[in-house]
């Protein structure tokens, strides 16, 4: 569900604005119909980390590079995916991640992607990731990925991953 935030503002004598209350609820159009920002789910995968390296701290925080191999469906097609991403632990304990990867369909067609996201630790060795992917392909089977943003939700636990992808409308 997507949420909206209504903010009530009050102007002080010095013409500064002050937030006096915040109301959070579902996003709605002008006639009150709920608006969903996510489109349909377009992919689902399970995977396994096949490589992990600790990288030099370049002043941003501890960094790890992970390569993950995944299998599942994307746009209704069986696929294998390989992705390498770098996660940097930030102050406050979240993890900033960027990565690149490629997709191979059962018929040998391919797509490449880049992505960025944020992870949070849910338990020791467990991360919940949320972010966006951007694909490029000449594949007929995966051509619907061109020109759209794809949102991901991944759960990683002890080297195993599960993920879902949705089109962002």
């Amino acid at each position: 569900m997507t949420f909206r935030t209504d903010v009530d503002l009050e102007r002080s004598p010095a013409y500064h604005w002050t937030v006096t209350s915040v109301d959070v609820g579902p996003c709605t159009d002008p006639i009150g119909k709920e608006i969903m920002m996510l489109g349909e789910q377009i992919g689902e995968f399970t995977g396994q980390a096949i490589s992990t390296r600790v990288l030099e701290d370049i002043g941003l925080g501890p960094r790890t590079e992970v390569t993950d191999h995944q299998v599942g469906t994307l746009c209704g097609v069986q696929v294998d995916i390989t992705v390498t991403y770098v996660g940097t632990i930030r102050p406050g304990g979240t993890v900033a991640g960027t990565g690149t990867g490629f997709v191979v369909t059962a018929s040998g067609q391919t797509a490449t992607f880049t992505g960025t996201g944020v992870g949070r630790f849910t338990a020791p060795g467990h991360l919940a990731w949320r972010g966006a992917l951007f694909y490029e392909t000449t594949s007929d089977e995966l051509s619907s990925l061109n020109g759209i943003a794809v949102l991901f939700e991944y759960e990683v636990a002890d080297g195993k991953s599960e993920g879902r992808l949705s089109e962002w409308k």
Side-chain angles (χ1 to χ4, degrees):
M1 177 179 292
T2 305
F3 288 92
R4 70 164 205 295
T5 303
D6 293 330
V7 178
D8 293 328
L9 299 174
E10 191 174 274
R11 191 166 53 178
S12 70
Y15 295 99
H16 294 139
W17 294 94
T18 304
V19 175
T20 56
S21 70
V22 176
D23 176 33
V24 178
C27 286
T28 56
D29 66 14
I31 61 170
K33 181 180 175 193
E34 189 172 321
I35 300 170
M36 298 301 292
M37 296 296 288
L38 290 180
E40 68 181 90
Q41 181 174 312
I42 60 171
E44 193 163 18
F45 314 100
T46 58
Q48 173 73 45
I50 58 175
S51 172
T52 303
R53 291 188 327 143
V54 175
L55 302 177
E56 178 182 354
D57 182 347
I58 57 173
L60 301 174
R63 298 182 316 139
T64 304
E65 177 187 89
V66 175
T67 298
D68 198 62
H69 178 256
Q70 305 162 1
V71 294
T73 58
L74 180 60
C75 301
V77 178
Q78 283 295 123
V79 294
D80 281 4
I81 299 171
T82 302
V83 59
T84 298
Y85 62 90
V86 174
T88 304
I89 299 175
R90 303 186 299 186
T94 60
V95 182
T98 59
T100 58
F102 65 92
V103 177
V104 180
T105 70
S107 66
Q109 295 186 29
T110 62
T112 59
F113 63 91
T114 60
T116 188
V118 63
R120 61 178 171 75
F121 290 97
T122 57
H126 296 225
L127 273 168
W129 286 96
R130 305 295 183 264
L133 302 173
F134 305 94
Y135 288 83
E136 289 187 21
T137 186
T138 57
S139 163
D140 295 334
E141 294 174 306
L142 302 172
S143 63
S144 63
L145 296 171
N146 287 322
I148 66 168
V150 175
L151 298 182
F152 67 81
E153 299 177 298
Y154 269 90
E155 308 300 322
V156 178
D158 301 319
K160 297 191 184 314
S161 61
E162 291 184 9
R164 290 160 304 287
L165 303 181
S166 297
E167 177 184 0
W168 188 7
K169 290 186 170 186

